[in-house]
Each structure stands twice: as structure tokens, then as C-alpha cells.
Amino acid sequence: MISNALEKARSYEAAAERGIDPGQRPGFHLGARTGWMNDPNGFGLYKGQYHLFYQYHPYDSHWGPMHWGHAVSRDLLHWDYLPCALAPDQPYDEAGCFSGSALELPDGRHVLMYTGVSRRTEPDGSTRLIQTQCLAFGDGENYEKYEGNPVLTEKDLPEGGSPYDFRDPKLLQLPDGSFRCLVANDNRDGGGQILLYESQDLLRWRFVCAAAANRGRLGLMWECPDLFTLDDTRVLLLSAQDMLPQGFEYHNGNGTVALLGEPDPVDEALRERADQAVDYGIDFYAPQTILTPDGRRIMVGWLQNWDTCNQHFRNYPWFGQMSLPRELFVRGGRLCQRPLRELERLRGEALCFTGLRLPGGELALPGVRGRMMELELELIPDGGLYQRFSLRFAKNQAYHTSVSFRPHESVLKVDRKFSGSRRAIIHQRRAKVDHEAGRLKLRLILDRFSCEVFVGGGEKVLSMAVDTPLEADGVSLFSDGQVSVNLTYRPLIP
Ligand code: FRU
């Protein structure tokens, strides 16, 4: 049964989409079909196709009552929209269908687990929003909300857990067929915690333990957990609100954290060994991962940041996009990333420049321009250590965005101050990077309205949305001091 709210969203998006020029959308990143997109939801395989749902407000390019948008892909790069999957249409989700996850069940059904948000009148007469976990079962396109919803409520919280911040269930199925579910929660005593539940049938759940707890270290409330084992390391991903910067880590206010460790043999909690930022750019939040049939752990995040995402004008036809899917691996005790290898299938003819000596000013390269491209660079000091190297792109007389490296400080900086924003918000982010006396490798992926910079062997990544008119498509190199550059340019053709 399709509710009026869902029917309305489906006919609205189908009509609104016709007014959006596909050439003004990302080429191989998933953007909102129309209106607003935030977190990836329900990322996974179902009946041989990748499904990616997302937090969605079709009627406006700003956040509003949350629906689930829906798209499918065979290669994680070419996406087809499917009709909106969930609308807030039940008493337990009247104020929004918040983030969650999905699984293919052995009986062939697709299950979505999401957070239902509803209003409750408190004993003092005030109204507050409470959050519970709900299920919907479907066939990959249409979903029926479970009549016994919600399946996890305030009564399932451990002592001190807040019913107002209890969201973003991540469903897992173990080899023995039983289910686990991680839910983000706020604990009265110390901020975010990730609660672990266990079930045999998805309908009745039992609290196991807090898989990890913030204890006042990393921001306040935690959101959007994900958990997996990678190269013998247990990795818990979470998105932390209201973080304080620590040195060069966690500059984003709302930041994404990886906790690395081992599972506790007794209660499945995480024995933490280290924590790190997942992305060092301006825009990356709420990632989810999947395991592909060939054994790769792939991550997709929202290519935006809550601190800056509300600065655009209302008349945007769409707002919000996903990051490039990234392959995760652990090296030297760190969670590292490389671009999805299927991206190589989009490569056009390469132009290679070897041993380019920069004149100590700006240099444009013949044939290197566009807004969908891959650039591989190797910087090699040429004489003494240079002061600075910069790459500018999405560039014309009016606009440019840059990536700069200062080897004396070991600092790599992305800067989109001149990208076309009319707002005085943060447009720069810096990361400390490893290099060998000024030698550094960078790999940039540009897709019309985004740039993702993979540093070295993928030890660090800096991502940002770039909102520059597409006619700004120039690229140039700049140096202060002698540096020699090997550069490979490849247009990407989706
Ligand atoms: C994270 C988040 C989630 C919530 C959703 C609401 O970006 O705040 O915790 O479910 O967005 O849209």
C-alpha cells in the first residue's frame, strides 16, 4: 500500500527531475534526484545490484521532513534513480524517516531498518521529538512498513541512554544467520555511544553492550555507526557532532571518526587501539560501507558538512551528493582509502608530462582542462626544498579552487575561497602529510561539482564540494621555488 505522502513525493520528483539538465549534475557521483540529500542509507547489494538510499527532502534544496531517496547501480558509478522509497507517513515516523541500513534476507526480501522520529508531549507540557528504530520490507522498489513498528524503543535503552538521540541503525547478519544492530545514542554521562543489539528474527531485539563509548573525548553525540573487520583490524566508523580540533585532527566540527582495534572476545565491544579522522577535507560525513562479492570493503559518505551546507540559495534544483566510492584498507595501523578501481573504466586518453620544471610562476598545460578528470601528480624537489606548490582547477578569470603543498611545514591545503561562494564560511582545510624531503604523490578526482584528493598511497583523503559554474574548466600549476612535476591527466567519461 502506497501512502498519500509517498505517492505525492514520487509524482513530485518525477516531474521536478525533468526540469534538471543532466549536464548540471555530477557525472559519476550520486546527487539528489531533486531537492535535498544528506546521509547515504541502506547501502548494499540486493539481487545483484547495488542499492543506495539517501536522506531526502524532495520539495526543497534545504533539509526538511526526511524521506528516503533511492538509486541503483551495477558498477557504483552509473546510477539510476528509483522512486522514493520511504515517506514520513506513520505515527511513529511522522516527523521523519531518519538514517538506517538494509540487508538482503535469505527469503529474498529486502529489509530496511531506519529511525522513525515522532512528537511526544512530555510531562511538563513541552513537545519533544523521540527516536525509535523501525523496519520496512520490500522487493527493491516498494517497501511495506512492518505493522509491529517500532522494534527498538526507549525501553530497550541501557541506563542513562537518551530517547531523543537514538538513531541510525546499522544492520549486520552473522554467518550463523542471527542479526546484530548498532544504534547511535547519547548517554547522559558522557556523550555519544554506539549500542549493540542482537536478534534472531529482526523483530525482537536484545541489548548486548555499548560497542564503544565517547566518554567526553571525540565531540558530543555520535551518529551513523558502521562496523567491519578489515585486514585483521576491527573498524568502527562513526560521525561525531561538535568536535574540538586536536592538532591537525578533527577540524570539521562535525567529523567522521574511525576507531580501530580488536573485538572483545567476551561481549563484542571494541577494544580500541587508535582513532583517526576518515577525511581531512571540508565535506565528508555519515559514511556507510559494503563488502563487494570480490571481497572489497567500499565506503561512501555524504560530500557535505553540516556547518556549511545551509548557505546556498533556495532556488537550487538539487543539493547534496555522495562521495566517490572508496576502497578501504589498513596500512601501518591506519585506515587508508583508494578510489574505486572501476573508475579506471571511465578513463579517456591520457596526457603525460614528465619532469615538468615550473618557472616559479603559473603554468597552464596544453590539453589539460575540463571538470571531470583524474590528475596524478608526483612532486620532486629540483635543487633546494621549494616553498610551495599549487594546483588550480575549475578555473577561469573569476574562479578557481586549489590544492597546495608546503613541504617545509608538511601541510597540504585545499582552498575553495574563490570557487563562487558568496558566503564568508570556512573554505579551507589543512592536513599534515608524510613526504620524503618534498617528494609527494597526489591523485585528484574531479567530477563537475566536487574534488577528492588522495594523498600518497591513500593515507589521507581531502574531499570538498565545488560549486563553480562549469565554464570555469582551466587547470594550472604554480610554484614558489624549484620543483619538478610528473603529471598524468585523464579525462573521465561516464
Ligand atoms: C547525520 C544525521 C543522522 C540522522 C540524519 C537526519 O547526518 O544527523 O544522525 O539520522 O542525519 O537527516
Side-chain angles (χ1 to χ4, degrees):
M1 240 277 288
I2 295 177
S3 68
N4 290 342
L6 187 58
E7 183 63 52
K8 185 173 154 219
R10 287 182 167 189
S11 39
Y12 181 88
E13 64 183 0
E17 180 185 49
R18 283 186 228 119
I20 304 177
D21 172 3
Q24 293 291 330
R25 290 179 176 281
F28 49 92
H29 289 65
L30 179 67
R33 184 172 181 184
T34 179
W36 163 278
M37 162 193 278
N38 59 288
D39 312 355
N41 292 160
F43 186 28
L45 261 179
Y46 178 66
K47 297 206 164 146
Q49 273 195 312
Y50 293 107
H51 286 247
L52 184 51
F53 302 81
Y54 52 92
Q55 289 285 279
Y56 182 35
H57 184 218
Y59 305 111
D60 192 345
S61 66
H62 287 72
W63 194 87
M66 280 291 110
H67 297 57
W68 275 35
H70 191 186
V72 285
S73 174
R74 298 226 169 251
D75 63 0
L76 296 167
L77 296 170
H78 297 89
W79 293 97
D80 292 316
Y81 292 112
L82 288 184
C84 177
L86 298 176
D89 52 15
Q90 299 296 323
Y92 52 78
D93 63 17
E94 48 160 349
C97 300
F98 275 19
S99 286
S101 53
L103 275 182
E104 176 164 5
L105 296 176
D107 65 8
R109 290 176 304 164
H110 200 199
V111 61
L112 312 181
M113 191 170 195
Y114 69 98
T115 299
V117 184
S118 60
R119 293 180 190 85
R120 183 169 78 182
T121 306
E122 302 290 294
D124 67 1
S126 64
T127 304
R128 289 198 69 174
L129 295 173
I130 62 155
Q131 303 184 335
T132 59
Q133 317 319 316
C134 306
L135 298 172
F137 295 92
D139 60 2
E141 181 160 335
N142 293 304
Y143 296 85
E144 199 74 54
K145 291 177 183 170
Y146 170 53
E147 68 275 8
N149 276 341
V151 294
L152 274 170
T153 67
E154 182 167 9
K155 68 173 173 23
D156 302 297
L157 285 168
E159 172 70 27
S162 160
Y164 313 114
D165 288 295
F166 181 38
R167 58 180 175 270
D168 310 336
K170 170 73 191 189
L171 260 182
L172 307 164
Q173 189 166 25
L174 301 196
D176 68 3
S178 66
F179 298 95
R180 297 287 182 279
C181 166
L182 296 156
V183 191
N185 183 232
D186 198 19
N187 184 311
R188 205 191 296 128
D189 305 326
Q193 57 183 352
I194 304 300
L195 306 179
L196 179 69
Y197 294 87
E198 175 266 328
S199 172
Q200 298 301 319
D201 60 4
L202 291 169
L203 311 178
R204 285 160 301 170
W205 292 90
R206 186 183 70 83
F207 174 67
V208 180
C209 65
N214 192 352
R215 293 185 291 274
R217 301 168 293 162
L218 299 161
L220 302 176
M221 169 63 183
W222 285 353
E223 307 185 301
C224 302
D226 197 346
L227 181 70
F228 50 88
T229 301
L230 188 63
D231 305 333
D232 296 330
T233 301
R234 196 86 165 142
V235 182
L236 179 61
L237 296 182
L238 56 95
S239 295
Q241 295 182 322
D242 307 301
M243 299 190 84
L244 283 171
Q246 299 173 16
F248 271 82
E249 293 287 307
Y250 306 129
H251 285 198
N252 266 341
N254 294 283
T256 310
V257 179
L259 300 177
L260 289 85
E262 287 85 41
D264 188 297
V266 180
D267 67 359
E268 301 186 52
L270 181 77
R271 274 199 200 152
E272 282 175 49
R273 179 161 32 82
D275 64 86
Q276 66 173 86
V278 179
D279 193 289
Y280 293 80
I282 307 172
D283 300 309
F284 191 83
Y285 201 68
Q288 290 200 340
T289 71
I290 54 166
L291 189 62
T292 58
D294 61 4
R296 287 177 289 163
R297 180 59 59 178
I298 308 280
M299 175 179 74
V300 166
W302 180 41
L303 208 74
Q304 270 300 335
N305 181 296
W306 282 113
D307 285 305
T308 54
C309 66
N310 283 312
Q311 303 298 329
H312 57 286
F313 298 124
R314 287 248 160 220
N315 59 2
Y316 271 48
W318 63 269
F319 181 86
Q321 55 187 316
M322 295 302 163
S323 72
L324 188 71
R326 300 155 182 197
E327 299 180 9
L328 301 179
F329 57 102
V330 174
R331 189 197 288 143
R334 280 188 66 82
L335 183 68
C336 305
Q337 307 169 44
R338 63 171 85 86
L340 181 80
R341 67 191 65 158
E342 282 80 352
L343 190 70
E344 292 166 22
R345 297 190 200 141
L346 308 189
R347 285 175 171 172
E349 203 173 318
L351 283 177
C352 301
F353 301 84
T354 312
L356 269 177
R357 301 188 69 179
L358 299 185
E362 201 165 350
L363 178 74
L365 301 175
V368 178
R369 62 184 323 114
R371 289 288 287 273
M372 288 189 284
M373 69 172 80
E374 178 179 350
L375 289 169
E376 283 184 281
L377 291 109
E378 186 175 11
L379 311 180
I380 304 161
D382 191 3
L385 197 55
Y386 54 99
Q387 290 299 322
R388 175 161 70 102
F389 166 82
S390 289
L391 173 84
R392 290 181 174 178
F393 55 90
K395 174 179 150 37
N396 63 6
Q397 293 292 332
Y399 307 115
H400 68 264
T401 292
S402 64
V403 178
S404 308
F405 178 54
R406 289 180 182 274
H408 287 278
E409 297 158 31
S410 305
V411 167
L412 188 80
K413 181 176 86 172
V414 291
D415 187 344
R416 62 167 187 210
K417 200 188 310 84
F418 301 107
S419 67
S421 167
R422 293 170 193 275
R423 299 274 77 91
I425 51 175
I426 284 286
H427 288 307
Q428 299 179 348
R429 201 55 86 208
R430 291 178 172 77
K432 273 266 189 226
V433 300
D434 291 335
H435 59 103
E436 286 162 47
R439 278 184 94 108
L440 182 70
K441 284 189 181 167
L442 299 174
R443 185 168 169 200
L444 270 78
I445 309 295
L446 307 188
D447 181 10
R448 292 205 178 113
F449 301 109
S450 64
C451 167
E452 292 161 272
V453 186
F454 294 80
V455 185
E459 294 79 25
K460 289 198 173 153
V461 185
L462 293 87
S463 307
M464 63 183 158
V466 178
D467 189 23
T468 310
L470 292 179
E471 62 267 21
D473 65 352
V475 175
S476 70
L477 310 180
F478 170 93
S479 81
D480 179 358
Q482 292 295 311
V483 54
S484 162
V485 183
N486 296 334
L487 181 147
T488 304
Y489 155 83
R490 295 182 182 94
L492 294 173
I493 308 159

